[in-house]
Amino acid sequence: MHQELNNLYPKLDLLPNLSVREPTMIATAIRPNLFLDLKQNLRRFRKQHFSSWCPNSGLTQYLNKNTKAAPLAVFRILFGLLMLIAVIRFWYNGWIEKLYIDPLFHFHYSGFSFIDASSSPVYLLFVLSGISAAFVCFGYKYRIAIIVFFFSFTWIELLDKTTYLNHYYFVSVIAFILMFLPAHCTFSIDAFRHDDLRYEFIPSWNIDILKLMLAIVYIYAGLAKLNSDWMFHAMPLSLWLPSKFEVPLLGSWMHEKWMHYLFSWAGAIYDIFIVALLLCKSTRLFGFAAVVIFHLLTRVLFPIGMFPYIMIAASLIFFSPSWHLRILNKLTTLFGINGDVFSNGKRTSFGRPPSISLILLSAFMCFQLIFPLRHFIFPGNVYWTERGYRFSWRVMLMEKTGYANFKIVNGVTGNRFYIQNGDFLTAFQEKQMATQPDFILEYGKFLGKHFAEQGHEHVEVYVESYVALNGRASQPYVRSDVDLMKTTYTKLCNQYLTPFNE
Amino acid sequence: MRSIIRSLIILALPIAVLWSCTDDDNSEGKNVQDTFNRQMMLTGIADEIIIPSFEHYVSKLEGFRVAGDQFSLEASMPTLEQLRLTYLSAYKAWQHVSMFDIGKAEETKLRNYTNIYPTDPNVIEGNISNQNYNLLLPSNYVAQGFPALDYLLYGVGQNDADILSILESNAYRSYLSELINRLHDIGKDVLDDWKSEFRTTFINNNGSSATASVDKLVNDYLFYYEKFFRAGKIGIPAGVFSGTPISTSVEAPYSNRYSKELFQESFVAVQNLFRGISFDGSTTVSSLEDYLQHIQELNQTEDVAQKILDQWSLAEAQVNSLSNSFKEQVETDNIKMLEVYDEIQRAVVLLKVDMLCSFNIQVDYIDADGD
């Protein structure tokens, strides 16, 4: 078994010579050698153990398959460019102030409550993510740039969950994957300047992992649409489309019921099958046309910013390496660079016997496959409780409108007063808060603490809340007899939500 | 090669179409409409409700100003009485325009300069005695407008004779007429703007985005309903937001007999806009109620409009049992005040949840999908 598998690996001497940069000073020479020994030992260890553990020789064969790096380079360039535009657009629209500076209070992600907009260098984060996105685009100091981008962008997203959008999460996920991929090995400044970073070929899985991630996004989004509201009541599109009468060409039909059904069904079918269409060579062009039309339609219809462009750019990854190479060659000619230097025939060592990157990314992809399904373990309707709703590719799935009126009560005297939410929250925060139990709870606890600090005694916090879901009449939401100061999120979702009345 | 060109064309065409037909902020309306004609609704509301209400308001302010001039010429009990009468009718007329915080009214902060209460007698007296003040400053919101006039006309002295003798002094008289003139001028500016340009802007901005007229009008309407109508006139004095009643926070506490009348007037205005009843009551125009019913019929959901109207009838009946002076009501039997508040509040849920979700109104211009 050992022998057999070993034969499948290319000869070790094909690996780039890591000792090329031999230090001249004897004193410092020891350390790098020691380090190299360690590295080689580690590799040998992983090779032996992983290989013998792995029963499927097809898998190892696959992991050693190489492909041209061009698609990854195009992906990197477009991703960096779009992120740079996204950051500039965000800033230009004044959203930094509006969303992160102006609000008195911010909603935190559980587990990340130590991140708060008031104590974060918000502008610096935006500057960092903008600059690092540009560096990623040009492939200049790529490794550092993509790491800086991932952390600064994700930090921004963690500042306030009011602004949660699936596409911001998608960006963080892609940036995470890119941290481990050699996206700078061709058509980048790094590769142009350093021979040892330049590779024409990379392991196929480096590209396939991005395709897999897109497949997860689309297919989970599609499966989530297979519910009765979406399929049989054309909700929430029936609520959203009638007000879109301004859209060119289609505008005059936007109030028609059949149009709502058409959009709902087409959307679900598109999400489920698009990746298959893109994978298959004969349907690829048709699939891509569908991608473009679908995303531009969503761009016209809904306020979802850069997302359509990101998805259109990302789905180019399904095109053949030669297609990408031609695009890249056109680009280099445009910039007056000789692109021939990148055709050096070299293959990267990434992923050959399982590298740390491969192991980490495999674990990450398993997480991505499982995490969106977590709502199955929670009781209740996920649309109503919203437990397990985020980070699950539930995109544009519901229209939820709510109203939450908070009451501060002195538990001893019974003296009470109500809160005007506008005193603490922005209109956008209030809208998001009123329909989500975790927001209601966090805000309720904040109010309790605030008034206790102001000298109020025996503070109890109650909420009278109502939610309308997908066109149904408004229903009471959180039970109004529950003191929010004394409850937890799990209890609130499991016991203190008024049952959903279909 | 051909496939590259083909795919690039596929990519480029829709993007070109897109760039040409959207911008981030769809504030410019096009003449395409859903089956419910938004532009017709906006036209009706502008021509039959907003503009006539402002015309009425400004004409009442003119009467107020004339009475102010009379009083300046000859301060006497009859001229004071005349001044008070015109004050009341202008204040009532104000109740019909307060909610239209849009266009010039929003730009010039008309509502802040006109009706921020409780007023602050100390600031007023300070302004009058040191003569060095700037009414444009936000710190002087509490020293002008109807609440300050309520103080001057009813609260500067213990009784009418006292009041008259204080107002006779030049300093008081000139401050009084300055307040009246300013009230008139800022109100007239807004009316003039509606009549010259803003009507067209308002009607043509018939799209659907956070800055389109329908979205703006509805957002303003709900904001007014919650903050000024529900909280300002009833909730705050009844102690809903403080735990203890604050009887001095009612509207017009110094005259101490008009707060209910003013409240009822604003309630009429709130309902008229919703139902599309013209200012003079002679016709009805296409309204929020019609729009709501249209959407509900489309989706075959419950008739929320009727629920809202029913809720308001309940509230109206409760209001009738209140004292003419809310200050008195709060001091003697605040429970009744709280009961009215609860009825008004119940409609908030219907308006802010059921109605808003039917209209698909944007709260603000921000990237946000349905999750």
Side-chain angles (χ1 to χ4, degrees):
Chain A
M1 186 76 179
H2 255 183
Q3 288 299 316
E4 215 180 291
L5 281 173
N6 272 343
N7 290 339
L8 291 168
Y9 293 123
K11 292 261 160 43
L12 264 176
D13 56 13
L14 276 179
L15 290 172
N17 189 355
L18 287 163
S19 53
V20 146
R21 284 168 288 174
E22 216 162 11
T24 44
M25 302 265 293
I26 296 169
T28 52
I30 300 165
R31 278 164 187 242
N33 281 339
L34 205 70
F35 175 69
L36 279 179
D37 278 357
L38 263 174
K39 211 170 165 181
Q40 272 161 8
N41 281 335
L42 201 67
R43 177 176 285 132
R44 205 169 303 134
F45 175 81
R46 281 205 306 268
K47 195 166 86 180
Q48 282 168 4
H49 286 79
F50 188 83
S51 308
S52 57
W53 166 80
C54 173
N56 185 354
S57 64
L59 179 64
T60 33
Q61 212 164 5
Y62 167 71
L63 290 174
N64 286 302
K65 218 175 95 185
N66 272 307
T67 182
K68 284 209 168 128
L72 191 56
V74 171
F75 191 89
R76 183 204 79 227
I77 292 168
L78 289 175
F79 182 77
L81 181 67
L82 287 170
M83 286 306 107
L84 177 63
I85 296 173
V87 168
I88 294 172
R89 172 174 174 270
F90 205 92
W91 199 313
Y92 173 80
N93 280 329
W95 289 342
I96 301 181
E97 292 81 22
K98 194 183 229 169
L99 298 173
Y100 299 121
I101 308 288
D102 293 345
L104 296 167
F105 170 74
H106 294 279
F107 291 94
H108 305 92
Y109 286 98
S110 79
F112 292 96
S113 51
F114 56 91
I115 290 180
D116 189 88
S118 56
S119 58
S120 295
V122 179
Y123 284 100
L124 181 68
L125 289 172
F126 274 91
V127 170
L128 280 178
S129 58
I131 291 174
S132 57
F135 277 37
V136 167
C137 176
F138 290 106
Y140 179 63
K141 306 234 179 263
Y142 170 77
R143 285 286 173 189
I144 300 169
I146 189 70
I147 290 169
V148 169
F149 179 79
F150 170 76
F151 282 101
S152 57
F153 188 88
T154 307
W155 189 344
I156 291 169
E157 290 325 306
L158 292 173
L159 289 175
D160 190 335
K161 68 179 167 188
T162 313
T163 57
Y164 173 81
L165 275 185
N166 283 299
H167 74 255
Y168 293 145
Y169 175 53
F170 177 73
V171 167
S172 280
V173 165
I174 292 294
F176 181 85
I177 296 173
L178 283 179
M179 287 199 296
F180 300 97
L181 299 185
H184 57 324
C185 70
T186 190
F187 291 93
S188 70
I189 295 178
D190 286 347
F192 190 76
R193 299 194 351 182
H194 304 286
D195 287 347
D196 54 335
L197 289 176
R198 199 183 306 142
Y199 297 97
E200 192 182 353
F201 295 92
I202 52 170
S204 299
W205 70 259
N206 285 184
I207 300 209
D208 291 344
I209 192 170
L210 293 167
K211 294 180 184 170
L212 176 61
M213 196 57 233
L214 279 169
I216 290 175
V217 172
Y218 273 120
I219 291 171
Y220 277 142
L223 292 178
K225 289 186 171 74
L226 303 181
N227 65 70
S228 66
D229 274 12
W230 184 274
M231 302 301 282
F232 303 125
H233 301 283
M235 282 289 176
L237 289 180
S238 293
L239 291 169
W240 290 338
L241 293 181
S243 65
K244 306 297 172 188
F245 49 82
E246 293 174 295
V247 174
L249 304 175
L250 298 170
S252 45
W253 294 298
M254 280 302 173
H255 63 277
E256 301 278 2
K257 202 76 195 175
W258 60 263
M259 196 75 171
H260 310 156
Y261 278 101
L262 178 74
F263 272 56
S264 298
W265 282 69
I269 292 169
Y270 166 85
D271 277 347
I272 294 173
F273 294 106
I274 189 61
V275 171
L277 290 179
L278 288 169
L279 278 172
C280 175
K281 195 165 184 286
S282 57
T283 54
R284 189 170 297 146
L285 217 52
F286 169 73
F288 186 68
V291 168
V292 173
I293 291 167
F294 177 85
H295 285 293
L296 291 188
L297 255 177
T298 61
R299 169 65 187 81
V300 177
L301 292 173
F302 307 113
I304 49 176
M306 299 292 294
F307 188 54
Y309 307 116
I310 296 170
M311 290 311 272
I312 291 170
S315 55
L316 289 173
I317 193 92
F318 288 95
F319 281 87
S320 69
S322 54
W323 186 89
H324 283 95
L325 211 53
R326 271 176 286 174
I327 297 284
L328 288 170
N329 281 325
K330 285 221 176 312
L331 213 61
T332 43
T333 328
L334 201 70
F335 282 92
I337 306 162
N338 184 6
D340 293 344
V341 289
F342 296 116
S343 320
N344 64 353
K346 268 170 67 184
R347 292 159 192 269
T348 58
S349 61
F350 284 95
R352 202 173 300 138
S355 62
I356 300 277
S357 305
L358 179 56
I359 294 166
L360 268 174
L361 284 177
S362 306
F364 183 68
M365 296 318 279
C366 290
F367 171 79
Q368 285 298 332
L369 279 169
I370 296 162
F371 198 57
L373 302 172
R374 70 192 184 283
H375 71 270
F376 284 118
I377 61 172
F378 303 126
N381 182 323
V382 62
Y383 297 92
W384 189 247
T385 67
E386 300 221 11
R387 262 188 112 183
Y389 192 89
R390 281 185 289 260
F391 310 110
S392 307
W393 314 118
R394 295 169 185 281
V395 192
M396 318 285 307
L397 268 185
M398 62 177 184
E399 169 61 39
K400 215 174 174 189
T401 314
Y403 176 77
N405 192 22
F406 289 81
K407 184 168 69 175
I408 310 292
V409 178
N410 180 322
V412 173
T413 64
N415 201 0
R416 67 203 169 111
F417 60 92
Y418 286 88
I419 300 301
Q420 307 204 59
N421 292 327
D423 294 346
F424 300 96
L425 304 179
T426 65
F428 183 51
Q429 284 178 317
E430 188 181 351
K431 180 182 153 72
Q432 298 285 35
M433 177 275 293
T435 59
Q436 303 182 60
D438 50 340
F439 282 67
I440 290 176
L441 185 67
E442 189 182 354
Y443 178 53
K445 286 196 192 288
F446 159 78
L447 289 173
K449 228 179 112 203
H450 172 83
F451 286 102
E453 276 165 10
Q454 295 228 317
H456 291 261
E457 288 177 331
H458 315 290
V459 173
E460 292 173 1
V461 180
Y462 298 88
V463 63
E464 289 156 11
S465 55
Y466 298 84
V467 163
L469 178 60
N470 283 349
R472 294 175 184 83
S474 57
Q475 303 172 24
Y477 196 47
V478 174
R479 263 172 48 187
S480 58
D481 58 346
V482 173
D483 179 6
L484 296 177
M485 293 305 280
K486 291 200 188 78
T487 191
T488 62
Y489 175 58
T490 315
K491 264 195 191 163
L492 189 71
C493 285
N494 291 352
Q495 296 168 32
Y496 300 143
L497 283 189
T498 315
F500 178 47
N501 184 7
E502 293 248 11
Chain B
M1 191 61 207
R2 197 171 278 168
S3 78
I4 295 191
I5 293 172
R6 238 186 326 166
S7 40
L8 281 181
I9 288 173
I10 289 174
L11 181 68
L13 254 183
I15 289 183
V17 172
L18 189 81
W19 279 118
S20 62
C21 63
T22 63
D23 63 303
D24 279 345
D25 197 347
N26 289 321
S27 52
E28 294 224 356
K30 297 182 182 64
N31 281 326
V32 197
Q33 292 288 331
D34 56 358
T35 41
F36 185 84
N37 194 327
R38 283 187 170 213
Q39 186 158 29
M40 201 173 91
M41 177 171 85
L42 292 172
T43 312
I45 288 174
D47 290 348
E48 297 295 336
I49 299 177
I50 301 180
I51 295 175
S53 299
F54 268 107
E55 275 172 339
H56 176 75
Y57 174 55
V58 172
S59 78
K60 291 296 168 188
L61 285 174
E62 258 149 28
F64 193 20
R65 196 173 60 168
V66 170
D69 291 346
Q70 293 269 304
F71 183 78
S72 279
L73 285 174
E74 186 220 335
S76 68
M77 218 46 233
T79 51
L80 178 62
E81 273 313 312
Q82 181 59 24
L83 191 57
R84 285 171 167 179
L85 274 179
T86 52
Y87 149 84
L88 176 64
S89 46
Y91 208 168
K92 280 167 75 177
W94 162 254
Q95 306 298 333
H96 287 267
V97 298
S98 178
M99 71 183 83
F100 303 117
D101 189 29
I102 186 169
K104 192 92 176 175
E106 185 184 19
E107 196 186 301
T108 60
K109 299 192 163 52
L110 178 69
R111 187 159 55 202
N112 289 353
Y113 287 115
T114 305
N115 197 22
I116 290 289
Y117 57 92
T119 187
D120 190 337
N122 292 328
V123 182
I124 296 173
E125 298 288 355
N127 285 348
I128 291 171
S129 60
N130 64 31
Q131 287 295 312
N132 181 21
Y133 55 85
N134 178 1
L135 290 179
L136 293 171
L137 291 177
S139 57
N140 270 324
Y141 286 158
V142 291
Q144 61 186 307
F146 289 109
L149 287 160
D150 186 61
Y151 168 74
L152 289 173
L153 296 179
Y154 294 93
V156 282
Q158 292 297 317
N159 52 48
D160 284 358
D162 273 0
I163 292 169
L164 188 61
S165 71
I166 290 170
L167 289 184
E168 267 172 344
S169 81
N170 275 334
Y172 278 87
R173 247 193 297 185
S174 74
Y175 193 74
L176 184 68
S177 49
E178 193 180 342
L179 291 194
I180 297 173
N181 287 336
R182 181 167 158 71
L183 210 50
H184 171 269
D185 294 347
I186 57 176
K188 189 162 183 307
D189 279 352
V190 175
L191 173 65
D192 290 347
D193 190 54
W194 269 102
K195 285 171 113 172
S196 64
E197 293 162 40
F198 192 67
R199 177 188 174 275
T200 322
T201 316
F202 177 75
I203 290 170
N204 289 331
N205 186 4
N206 60 347
S208 59
S209 74
T211 51
S213 289
V214 173
D215 297 49
K216 185 99 184 54
L217 185 73
V218 172
N219 277 328
D220 287 348
Y221 179 64
L222 294 183
F223 186 69
Y224 174 79
Y225 186 90
E226 257 200 301
K227 184 152 187 180
F228 295 93
F229 178 71
R230 176 200 68 149
K233 292 175 199 289
I234 306 275
I236 292 171
V240 172
F241 306 103
S242 54
T244 39
I246 315 168
S247 64
T248 49
S249 287
V250 299
E251 197 169 24
Y254 298 98
S255 47
N256 199 20
R257 69 199 86 154
Y258 299 130
S259 35
K260 177 173 157 187
E261 204 172 335
L262 295 170
F263 178 77
Q264 285 173 321
E265 200 68 33
S266 67
F267 207 169
V268 169
V270 161
Q271 297 189 57
N272 283 357
L273 179 67
F274 182 77
R275 305 180 63 179
I277 297 173
S278 68
F279 177 73
D280 59 12
S282 62
T283 52
T284 52
V285 293
S286 170
S287 64
L288 297 177
E289 182 188 5
D290 298 329
Y291 192 19
L292 194 51
Q293 274 166 352
H294 168 77
I295 301 278
Q296 311 267 324
E297 271 164 33
L298 210 65
N299 293 323
Q300 293 172 345
T301 44
E302 263 181 280
D303 187 357
V304 175
Q306 193 53 50
K307 276 200 204 160
I308 293 171
L309 294 177
D310 291 348
Q311 186 53 45
W312 280 340
S313 308
L314 283 176
E316 262 183 326
Q318 294 265 19
V319 175
N320 285 332
S321 68
L322 295 180
S323 152
N324 283 338
S325 158
F326 283 177
K327 185 160 176 276
E328 237 169 70
Q329 185 67 52
V330 169
E331 284 161 0
T332 56
D333 186 2
N334 192 39
I335 300 291
K336 273 195 173 156
M337 245 350 227
L338 289 171
E339 281 168 1
V340 169
Y341 177 85
D342 287 343
E343 297 299 343
I344 301 283
Q345 168 67 25
R346 282 192 188 108
V348 172
V349 176
L350 298 169
L351 291 166
K352 278 194 92 173
V353 183
D354 299 69
M355 183 174 89
L356 262 194
C357 115
S358 296
F359 288 172
N360 191 21
I361 297 278
Q362 305 297 322
V363 180
D364 207 339
Y365 170 56
I366 265 164
D367 282 352
D369 56 21
D371 43 37

